[in-house]
Amino acid sequence: MTYTIPVELTSSPKPKPAHHNQAFGTVFTDHMFILDYDAEQGWHDPRIVPYQPIQLDPAAKVFHYGQTVFEGLKAYLTEDRRILMFRPNKNIERLNLSNRRLSIPDLDEELVLEALKQIVLVDRDWIPSEPGTSLYIRPFVIATEPVLGVAPSLQYKFMIILSVVGSYYAEGINPVGIYVEPKYVRAVVGGVGNAKTAGNYAAGLKAQDEATAKGYSQVLWLDGVHRKYIEEVGSMNVFFKLGDTVVTPALNGSILDGVTRSSVIQLLQHWGIPVEERAISIDEIIEAHRSGTLVEAFGTGTAAVISPIGSLEWQDEKLVIGQGVTGELSSRVYDAITGIQRGILEDPFGWVIELPLADAAKHS
Ligand SMILES: *Cc1c(COP(=O)(O)O)cnc(C)c1O
């Protein structure tokens, strides 16, 4: 099935940034994608229009009850000017998993993929080409029905906006200091921790603020029941290298099933490195540090790909990991994934899709 998505081009294109040292998510492109939902028509009226503010009734349910989900993925420009996207189908699948958890009607996955491709092609001149830069793609759904009753909305908007992002590691990959959070929790099993929904991030701001004030860059979240098992680091999944084995928390229902997480696991398996998805207690990590088997730790997510952890602060004890420098495995994984994303390395997993530039001509 092919979809025709009408395009209204902007009559006043914005100047593109000359440098890419801007803060994450501050520079947006010229266009956006919109799709509407109401109970009578279902999802309807897909369109690409100039990037612009949207008008919503103050009673729109999203403002009051947080019925909303989002995704995050990237498009890259290769040295030979091909446009690549990294595993968009994983994001689209997860978007619908989040939708189901938030009682939002399923989106047509083929239409979403087509929308992702078309909006990126329409704004293809915005994709930066310097090493480390990319076009960040933010699909999201909001509940728009103007009714204050607590019930699933009967109206929604699905939108895709695009943001030019600079290199996460303009100054090189430097391991970060992490505060193991003793007081606040991010999510609990049975809640919405495994959905990419706004409330999880609002709930995490306080802990992040307090950790920042103490001089740490992120928090390490422990589970909400036992306050013992490791869940995520900031809004990233987390991996530890213990001896020769890599461990990461199992998908227990309260953590997010990261696309980067799944890619790292697949890559490690491909390399013959033992990897375990299981419950990991903070005590196990402290013990591994004491006995010298905690070799490396890193977070994974679309924005940074790999974020090495240089130290963990837990109950007034500071555990320095790998002398505080980026570990060998962290670097190897980072180079492999970013190499595949940018079309520099062979992609044995079929992760990358190339956008056919020929299709772009239709719109001009
Ligand atoms: C988005 C996200 C991740 C990382 O997922 P990726 O698909 O790898 O970007 C991890 N944890 C949380 C809470 C997230 O929101």
Side-chain angles (χ1 to χ4, degrees):
M1 175 142 190
T2 52
Y3 293 91
T4 316
I5 301 174
V7 180
E8 182 198 333
L9 291 177
T10 182
S11 53
S12 48
K14 293 179 279 199
K16 299 185 178 64
H19 303 288
H20 294 297
N21 47 10
Q22 68 272 19
F24 175 78
T26 53
V27 176
F28 298 97
T29 63
D30 280 327
H31 300 88
M32 64 198 220
F33 172 85
I34 312 185
L35 179 69
D36 294 312
Y37 178 94
D38 64 38
E40 297 75 47
Q41 301 174 84
W43 289 109
H44 65 278
D45 197 14
R47 59 210 186 270
I48 290 171
V49 297
Y51 189 95
Q52 61 193 285
I54 55 169
Q55 208 168 32
L56 290 177
D57 193 288
K61 288 194 188 231
V62 64
F63 296 137
H64 305 275
Y65 308 125
Q67 199 192 5
T68 176
V69 300
F70 70 95
E71 270 302 327
L73 67 162
K74 285 176 170 177
Y76 309 84
L77 193 63
T78 67
E79 278 168 22
D80 54 353
R81 307 199 75 74
R82 292 178 302 128
I83 301 169
L84 304 180
M85 275 200 284
F86 187 70
R87 310 189 77 181
N89 288 312
K90 294 284 283 181
N91 295 88
I92 296 169
E93 260 172 48
R94 188 172 66 190
L95 179 62
N96 267 339
L97 291 176
S98 298
N99 279 338
R100 280 166 215 154
R101 182 63 186 83
L102 273 289
S103 296
I104 295 171
D106 268 33
L107 283 151
D108 175 341
E109 301 193 359
E110 274 180 57
L111 173 59
V112 176
L113 182 61
E114 194 54 32
L116 288 171
K117 290 178 177 174
Q118 293 303 328
I119 186 68
V120 169
L121 284 173
V122 166
D123 277 338
R124 63 191 176 278
D125 293 344
W126 284 83
I127 312 175
S129 59
E130 298 85 56
T133 62
S134 57
L135 190 67
Y136 182 80
I137 307 170
R138 168 54 63 89
F140 63 107
V141 182
I142 52 172
T144 55
E145 189 192 11
V147 173
L148 292 182
V150 181
S153 179
L154 298 176
Q155 296 164 21
Y156 299 89
K157 275 189 191 302
F158 170 61
M159 287 182 272
I160 306 172
I161 54 174
L162 307 173
S163 180
V164 180
V165 293
S167 177
Y168 203 86
Y169 292 118
E171 273 118 58
I173 302 190
N174 289 312
V176 293
I178 299 294
Y179 182 70
V180 183
E181 176 54 56
K183 185 165 61 170
Y184 303 111
V185 299
R186 192 190 81 93
V188 290
V189 176
V192 292
N194 57 354
K196 232 171 155 69
T197 186
N200 289 329
Y201 306 84
L205 295 174
K206 184 76 178 154
Q208 173 68 49
D209 268 3
E210 293 183 11
T212 306
K214 293 189 189 95
Y216 301 95
S217 82
Q218 295 282 349
V219 301
L220 186 76
W221 297 107
L222 300 181
D223 79 279
V225 176
H226 311 278
R227 306 293 181 103
K228 177 175 168 185
Y229 296 103
I230 290 168
E231 299 231 308
E232 300 204 45
V233 59
S235 48
M236 288 185 282
N237 296 114
V238 65
F239 287 76
F240 299 90
K241 186 172 181 225
L242 304 178
D244 294 324
T245 300
V246 177
V247 298
T248 191
L251 300 176
N252 61 352
S254 64
I255 69 172
L256 202 85
D257 181 359
V259 178
T260 319
R261 175 187 181 279
S262 115
S263 308
V264 169
I265 292 171
Q266 227 178 305
L267 198 57
L268 293 172
Q269 287 168 341
H270 180 73
W271 288 338
I273 296 173
V275 48
E276 296 172 2
E277 298 175 65
R278 60 172 173 83
I280 306 160
S281 70
I282 185 68
D283 300 331
E284 178 182 354
I285 296 301
I286 308 280
E287 188 42 47
H289 182 259
R290 285 211 182 105
S291 66
T293 55
L294 173 57
V295 193
E296 290 185 42
F298 56 88
T300 67
T302 294
V305 185
I306 298 293
S307 178
I309 298 173
S311 67
L312 292 175
E313 167 94 17
W314 172 240
Q315 293 175 340
D316 299 323
E317 197 184 338
K318 185 174 176 180
L319 320 184
V320 174
I321 303 170
Q323 284 93 47
V325 299
T326 299
E328 204 180 307
L329 184 68
S330 307
S331 300
R332 188 178 173 203
V333 170
Y334 178 83
D335 290 344
I337 292 183
T338 55
I340 292 171
Q341 287 171 335
R342 318 204 130 260
I344 295 163
L345 296 179
E346 185 89 37
D347 171 19
F349 311 102
W351 284 341
V352 151
I353 69 158
E354 182 174 344
L355 302 201
L357 266 176
D359 283 4
K362 286 182 198 155
H363 302 297
S364 39

